[in-house]
Amino acid sequence: MDPVTIDTTKFRPVRKKPETALEKLEDTGLISTVLAARERKGLIFLTTVDQVFNWARLSSLWPVTSGLACCAIEMMAVAMAHHDIARFGMEIFRASPRQADLMFVAGTVTKRMAPRVKQLYEMMPDPKWVISVGSCANTGGPYHESYAVLRGVDNIIPVDVYIPGCPPRPEAWLYGVLQLREKIKNEGYGAKWGLNK
Amino acid sequence: MNAAEELKQALPASVVSTGMQVEKPLVLVKKEDLLEVAAKVKEMGFDHLSVVTGVDYVDRFEVIYNFFSYGKKENLVLKVVLDHEAPEVGSLTSLWKGADWLERETYDLVGVRFTGHPNLTRILLPEGWKGHPLRKDYDMSVEQFVTIGEDGEDIVSTDGSNLLRRK
């Protein structure tokens, strides 16, 4: 055999299993600047588009202005200066669901209100999240045996965070908001690769 | 002499009995004479009809009227007993305008029919709801759902298929 000729059938590139986040990112081949980033370590801010989006989303959640019962009074307390939901970029309660990406279901969802709540949710643009606040919205609460009340708002729309209480204190409310922020932070591919740390 | 005794003296034929409902004078009235008695009650200065309620006692219905006088600061309670098969009583809308919605509510939830009412339709529940929920024989095992129709009207159904996420 001619020693110059290389038998390509026996050549198999060794593929290292990606371990670090950077290697995993390289492995996808999605972002071509990764190699450049490796050469100039520290000069390029390296993230995924997902993580940037998540950060932007969780930093300015705009809730839709809707209150169904007494939990809405607590919602007002959360929005006011003492508890100050503006610390989380949420001070703008939008009057239109078209401009909102978060819905607090704050109160009793009656049978007659249920299709309206569902319609409000469907009018919100994606991505959207729902926080169910209080016993009534979670399970029907004290009205569980009633003919006129829906047994939990999760029967009609998907819920991300449930806040228990009747009604929940503003502190509980803020804890629920923090849980939702944690959830949004862990959405998408970036979180799967461990880039959300 | 309280308002109940006063009413009994004025219309002895229409009043069945008098008594006290907690701290309010109570008059039990024959249902045929209700309008006549109510006119006298209004004449006595009870200008505010605050509550109309119905109670299902299985063998009979009772409709209870709570009156208040802003001038005399007095309360008065009228009560009529109705047949359980076909509960029907005269409407007080001609005397107190506020009776309109109160009687509609009683019709909606208890199913008492008020003859002479200008618009006796459901007020809290949507049209098409089956049964009157505050009756003892209301069927709680059948769940009813409301959806919105093409023109914004309420549609009552028992399956809720276009409202619920999962069946």
Side-chain angles (χ1 to χ4, degrees), chain B residues 52-54 101-112 114:
Chain B
V52 177
T53 50
W101 282 17
L102 298 174
E103 286 177 350
R104 276 178 70 188
E105 187 189 357
T106 308
Y107 163 70
D108 191 357
L109 301 179
V110 190
V112 175
F114 292 89

Side-chain angles (χ1 to χ4, degrees), chain B residues 111-127:
Chain B
V112 175
R113 298 200 69 85
F114 292 89
T115 49
H117 192 284
N119 177 31
L120 194 65
T121 51
R122 287 184 183 273
I123 187 168
L124 295 170
L125 297 169
E127 286 297 325

Side-chain angles (χ1 to χ4, degrees), chain A residues 112 118 145 151 154-155, chain B residues 124 140 143 154 163 165:
Chain A
R112 236 183 153 171
K118 192 178 170 120
E145 301 283 309
R151 289 165 187 83
D154 51 0
N155 281 319
Chain B
L124 295 170
M140 281 294 288
E143 201 171 5
D154 289 316
L163 179 71
R165 287 169 61 210

Side-chain angles (χ1 to χ4, degrees), chain A residues 58 61 78 85 88 90 102 104 131 161 163 170-184:
Chain A
L58 70 88
L61 287 165
V78 171
I85 208 170
F88 307 104
M90 300 171 75
L102 172 64
F104 288 119
I131 297 185
V161 176
I163 305 176
E171 292 88 341
W173 199 297
L174 292 176
Y175 184 69
V177 168
L178 290 176
Q179 294 298 305
L180 180 68
R181 285 164 67 92
E182 205 58 40
K183 182 174 180 178
I184 296 172

Side-chain angles (χ1 to χ4, degrees), chain A residues 7-15:
Chain A
D7 186 6
T8 51
T9 55
K10 286 182 180 165
F11 178 75
R12 186 168 291 167
V14 181
R15 206 181 148 95

Side-chain angles (χ1 to χ4, degrees), chain A residues 11-104:
Chain A
F11 178 75
R12 186 168 291 167
V14 181
R15 206 181 148 95
K16 193 174 164 244
K17 195 164 176 277
E19 276 166 3
T20 65
L22 191 66
E23 283 167 358
K24 283 174 185 170
L25 198 62
E26 247 178 302
D27 189 44
T28 61
L30 288 174
I31 301 170
S32 57
T33 57
V34 168
L35 288 175
R38 197 168 229 184
E39 281 167 13
R40 297 177 260 156
K41 263 177 193 144
L43 293 180
I44 291 180
F45 176 64
L46 188 69
T47 181
T48 62
V49 181
D50 262 338
Q51 291 310 105
V52 176
F53 280 3
N54 285 353
W55 169 77
R57 282 166 182 166
L58 70 88
S59 303
S60 75
L61 287 165
W62 287 1
V64 62
T65 312
S66 81
L68 304 178
C70 37
C71 283
I73 306 295
E74 294 297 307
M75 183 161 72
M76 293 170 212
V78 171
M80 290 298 124
H82 191 87
H83 295 285
D84 198 12
I85 208 170
R87 289 178 287 160
F88 307 104
M90 300 171 75
E91 72 275 22
I92 310 176
F93 278 82
R94 302 311 296 184
S96 162
R98 307 261 186 228
Q99 300 166 352
D101 47 12
L102 172 64
M103 183 155 82
F104 288 119

Side-chain angles (χ1 to χ4, degrees), chain B:
Chain B
M1 189 166 68
N2 65 24
E5 298 296 330
E6 209 176 306
L7 201 63
K8 192 175 184 181
Q9 278 194 353
L11 298 161
S14 311
V15 174
V16 179
S17 67
T18 60
M20 293 296 279
Q21 171 112 329
V22 193
E23 289 178 344
K24 300 174 183 178
L26 166 77
V27 186
L28 188 63
V29 181
K30 285 181 189 162
K31 65 173 177 182
E32 309 83 52
D33 301 338
L34 177 71
L35 274 175
E36 192 190 333
V37 175
K40 176 67 185 167
V41 166
K42 186 155 197 194
E43 203 183 298
M44 283 161 64
F46 290 95
D47 44 5
H48 178 53
L49 172 58
S50 54
V51 180
V52 177
T53 50
V55 188
D56 182 1
Y57 283 106
V58 184
D59 60 329
R60 66 188 193 279
F61 280 105
E62 280 183 8
V63 179
I64 298 135
Y65 301 86
N66 281 256
F67 298 99
F68 182 71
S69 166
Y70 278 106
K72 295 192 274 184
K73 309 285 182 219
E74 273 181 23
N75 289 294
L76 179 65
V77 181
L78 286 195
K79 210 183 242 189
V80 286
V81 178
L82 307 179
D83 178 33
H84 195 269
E85 295 310 308
E88 216 173 77
V89 72
S91 168
L92 297 190
T93 43
S94 53
L95 293 162
W96 289 271
K97 277 272 161 59
D100 188 336
W101 282 17
L102 298 174
E103 286 177 350
R104 276 178 70 188
E105 187 189 357
T106 308
Y107 163 70
D108 191 357
L109 301 179
V110 190
V112 175
R113 298 200 69 85
F114 292 89
T115 49
H117 192 284
N119 177 31
L120 194 65
T121 51
R122 287 184 183 273
I123 187 168
L124 295 170
L125 297 169
E127 286 297 325
W129 194 275
K130 287 185 194 69
H132 302 282
L134 295 193
R135 283 195 180 190
K136 291 282 187 287
D137 57 0
Y138 180 75
D139 189 4
M140 281 294 288
S141 61
V142 179
E143 201 171 5
Q144 300 183 52
F145 296 97
V146 185
T147 49
I148 306 176
E150 288 283 310
D151 301 322
E153 81 278 12
D154 289 316
I155 299 167
V156 179
S157 67
T158 48
D159 61 345
S161 52
N162 53 353
L163 179 71
L164 301 180
R165 287 169 61 210
R166 49 181 182 269
K167 283 208 84 177

